[in-house]
Amino acid sequence: MGKLRLTGCITLLALLLSACGGSSGGDGPGVSPPPPAPPPPPPPTGTPQIALQQVFAGLSPAPVAPVSLQQAPGDATRWFVVEQAGVIRAFANDDGATATQSFLDITDLVRSGGERGLLGMAFHPDFPNTPDVFVSYTREPDGTSHLSRFSSTDGGVTLDDIAEEVILSVPQDFANHNGGNIAFGPDGYLYIGFGDGGDAGDPLERAQDNTHLLGTMVRIDVDGGSPYAIPAADPGNPFAANQTCPQGFTVGGENCPEIFAWGLRNPWRFSFDRQTGQLWAGDVGQNSWEEIDIVTAGGDYGWDDREGAHCFEPPSGCDTDSIDPVTEYGRNLGASVTGGYVYRGSAVPDLVGWYVFGDFVTGRLFAIPADSAAGTPPEVLLETGLGIAAFGESGDGELFVVNYGGSIHQVVTSP
């Protein structure tokens, strides 16, 4: 963790640069940042009017490079914040809370920095009766993506950081585009988002190659087999009958059965609408377009034939059979999308039924109605000035913004 603090500014810069492509089409250091974005137009009539209110400001230590905020199933008494360096901290759901407790510390296992680190966490839906928590991280020394299970032996107070069970191990081609978000869907299966393996422009064509797990949304049944089973019905994974790929790629030339959908560049945060069950994902763009997708079984979301709804490779005359994003925005509004949630809370009545998301670089909060047709332009809700790394949803549907700089903010009605 000391290393992360010392290099915090460098890490943040690396995240900003590697999230988006420059004019030359390359990611990483040396890429020119996008030009300053002009101010957005005022919100149209009917757009929800919101504000952000900082909460849990007294936590000590304050979160360091937080990338996820969650509550355990059926437990409104605690929050859990995931820190990129490899620590998950728990604290009371009380705005006056000051103390945090280590829930899991695997900093010795995690290769952190840039887009690498401890990137995702998912409680088993029956936690703590089933005392398992799943985490997604890039592992020392080479940055391989691991999906692992840790269990609690003290009734859910902490996790045993010694007894790790590795579920999936996916080699990464480069240091960026790791994805890493994980979540259980309403079907009880575990979903994992993987980026295309990195560099720029998907040089190894992973996102359109279903013999690899890179560039895909994976869905597995962690209760149905050891270490997992493949969902085969209602609807099944598209390649469910094939040999599994626990090492991240096929050894027999068949498409990997773990794949639920593909054609993703770097899915950074996805969630399920608690009312409809729809899977919403933010997919970080290359040079020009950030996109939000509604992900369905067997769906191809186009990368790297297309970036958003636009041809990328080739720049014209590309294959357009893939699924269009439900919304997208260009470099005039942002440069690195962070997926959010469909708001189903009660504190902001005008926001109910809107999908809220943000941009890590510009700090803008956006929204569209959840019943929008493909291609609906987003509406700008708020200029936050924050590095929006993630969103959190409470058990009662309220929405929180996670600032990579270490603060947490609740979405509230504009005064």
Side-chain angles (χ1 to χ4, degrees):
M1 281 173 37
K3 179 179 178 183
L4 186 65
R5 290 192 180 97
L6 291 173
T7 61
C9 292
I10 296 173
T11 297
L12 180 56
L13 178 61
L15 277 167
L16 299 186
L17 292 175
S18 58
C20 55
S23 59
S24 63
D27 288 3
V31 176
S32 299
T45 303
T47 301
Q49 303 299 299
I50 67 165
L52 291 185
Q53 177 180 309
Q54 186 173 357
V55 291
F56 310 121
L59 294 179
S60 181
V64 177
V67 295
S68 183
L69 178 71
Q70 299 183 35
Q71 289 187 320
D75 181 5
T77 66
R78 290 190 296 172
W79 282 99
F80 300 82
V81 61
V82 177
E83 297 182 345
Q84 185 181 4
V87 178
I88 301 172
R89 299 188 186 279
F91 58 89
N93 186 17
D94 178 346
D95 196 36
T98 57
T100 67
Q101 178 184 29
S102 177
F103 184 62
L104 178 69
D105 186 342
I106 55 171
T107 52
D108 290 344
L109 302 178
V110 175
R111 181 155 192 177
S112 180
E115 294 180 29
R116 291 168 164 171
L118 177 57
L119 302 174
M121 172 183 70
F123 290 91
H124 190 282
D126 193 38
F127 185 87
N129 295 322
T130 300
D132 300 334
V133 176
F134 298 82
V135 299
S136 169
Y137 69 96
T138 51
R139 192 179 182 95
E140 288 283 10
D142 61 356
T144 293
S145 288
H146 276 219
L147 171 70
S148 293
R149 183 199 318 253
F150 292 88
S151 298
S152 176
T153 60
D154 56 11
V157 177
T158 64
L159 297 179
D160 181 353
D161 59 6
I162 302 299
E164 176 186 16
E165 179 189 1
V166 177
I167 307 296
L168 273 175
S169 181
V170 181
Q172 292 285 343
D173 299 318
F174 301 94
N176 57 340
H177 301 181
N178 300 288
N181 195 40
I182 59 177
F184 280 91
D187 53 13
Y189 299 133
L190 183 61
Y191 291 70
I192 311 103
F194 289 110
D196 64 9
D199 198 38
D202 195 8
L204 300 179
E205 302 293 333
R206 299 301 196 201
Q208 290 296 321
D209 177 4
N210 289 328
T211 66
H212 285 75
L213 296 183
L214 296 173
T216 74
M217 183 71 71
V218 161
R219 180 177 69 160
I220 58 176
D221 180 359
V222 295
D223 293 323
S226 180
Y228 58 85
I230 302 298
D234 204 22
N237 287 6
F239 316 116
N242 295 348
Q243 185 68 32
T244 59
C245 302
Q247 70 288 336
F249 55 91
T250 185
V251 293
E254 295 182 323
N255 292 334
C256 292
E258 293 88 347
I259 293 173
F260 179 75
W262 63 92
L264 301 172
R265 182 177 180 270
N266 191 26
W268 184 248
R269 299 311 174 215
F270 62 83
S271 67
F272 294 90
D273 182 345
R274 60 171 54 205
Q275 179 171 303
T276 68
Q278 283 185 317
L279 172 53
W280 293 72
D283 197 14
V284 179
Q286 176 72 42
N287 296 329
S288 304
W289 297 97
E290 306 297 310
E291 70 181 272
I292 297 292
D293 298 308
I294 297 177
V295 182
T296 57
D300 174 6
Y301 292 86
W303 179 252
D304 69 339
D305 295 325
R306 297 202 295 169
E307 180 185 13
H310 312 269
C311 285
F312 178 80
E313 188 179 276
S316 62
C318 63
D319 183 350
T320 59
D321 289 338
S322 54
I323 299 173
D324 285 342
V326 65
T327 191
E328 63 179 4
Y329 61 91
R331 288 293 180 263
N332 62 317
L333 291 178
S336 183
V337 68
T338 298
Y341 288 85
V342 176
Y343 180 73
R344 299 295 182 185
S346 59
V348 191
D350 291 345
L351 193 61
V352 173
W354 287 67
Y355 177 73
V356 181
F357 59 105
D359 190 90
F360 180 78
V361 176
T362 64
R364 288 187 172 123
L365 277 180
F366 305 95
I368 60 170
D371 59 358
S372 295
T376 299
E379 297 184 12
V380 177
L381 297 185
L382 199 65
E383 303 277 350
T384 72
L386 304 175
I388 302 174
F391 291 82
E393 184 186 42
S394 65
D396 58 359
E398 298 307 326
L399 191 58
F400 297 78
V401 175
V402 179
N403 174 27
Y404 189 74
S407 57
I408 301 168
H409 305 257
Q410 184 172 359
V411 176
V412 297
T413 298
S414 178

